[in-house]
């Protein structure tokens, strides 16, 4: 009887955890993008994040298209990306906020310091 209760309790606890928290990329979804470039100009667009094969795949649209892949761990999404039209790629790191937003910074490879900021807001 005790063994049955322990198994039942384990099943209840497992069912209580949201499935997305068990995923390799719990931030998968559609987002509105608001960012600031290195020079201070702002931009807006959209992004889609997918959970695929243990990684987070992200695709940005508007004002330009780019794609990247990375990992999510300890509340942070780290991504390496490249523009689809060609050119310099870079890295971005986002921190997941309590409201579901991803706030982060990005930089281009080869620029050394500098970069911009970006906030992804769930749609």
């Amino acid at each position: 009887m005790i063994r049955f209760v322990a198994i039942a309790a384990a099943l209840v606890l497992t069912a209580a955890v949201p499935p997305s928290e068990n995923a390799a990329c719990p931030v998968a979804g559609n987002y509105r993008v608001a960012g600031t470039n290195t020079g201070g100009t702002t931009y807006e667009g959209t992004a889609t994040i997918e959970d695929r094969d243990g990684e987070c795949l992200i695709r940005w649209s508007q004002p330009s298209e780019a794609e990247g892949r990375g990992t999510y761990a300890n509340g942070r999404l780290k991504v390496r990306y490249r523009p689809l039209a060609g050119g310099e790629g870079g890295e971005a790191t986002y921190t997941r906020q309590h409201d579901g937003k991803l706030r982060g910074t990005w930089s281009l490879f080869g620029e050394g310091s500098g970069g911009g900021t970006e906030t992804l807001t769930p749609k």
Side-chain angles (χ1 to χ4, degrees):
M1 178 68 172
I2 293 174
R3 186 174 184 186
F4 173 75
V5 171
I7 292 171
L11 289 173
V12 168
L13 289 175
T14 302
V17 176
S20 63
E21 291 301 320
N22 291 327
C25 185
V27 294
N30 296 311
Y31 293 85
R32 286 187 318 276
V33 176
T36 304
N37 290 310
T38 307
T41 59
T42 61
Y43 60 90
E44 294 182 353
T46 60
T48 301
I49 302 175
E50 295 180 25
D51 183 343
R52 190 174 308 153
D53 299 327
E55 288 188 301
C56 294
L57 300 180
I58 184 168
R59 184 175 183 124
W60 293 268
S61 298
Q62 306 163 2
S64 59
E65 292 190 343
E67 63 183 12
R69 64 179 48 231
T71 57
Y72 182 87
N74 301 318
R76 291 186 184 242
L77 174 62
K78 294 184 179 186
V79 178
R80 293 175 74 104
Y81 66 88
R82 65 180 179 83
L84 293 181
E88 194 74 39
E91 294 180 315
T93 301
Y94 301 91
T95 301
R96 189 177 195 182
Q97 308 297 301
H98 293 292
D99 60 3
K101 291 180 181 178
L102 296 170
R103 293 188 193 274
T105 58
W106 57 266
S107 62
L108 295 173
F109 295 132
E111 275 195 7
S113 63
T117 62
E118 194 167 85
T119 300
L120 307 181
T121 302
K123 285 185 174 184

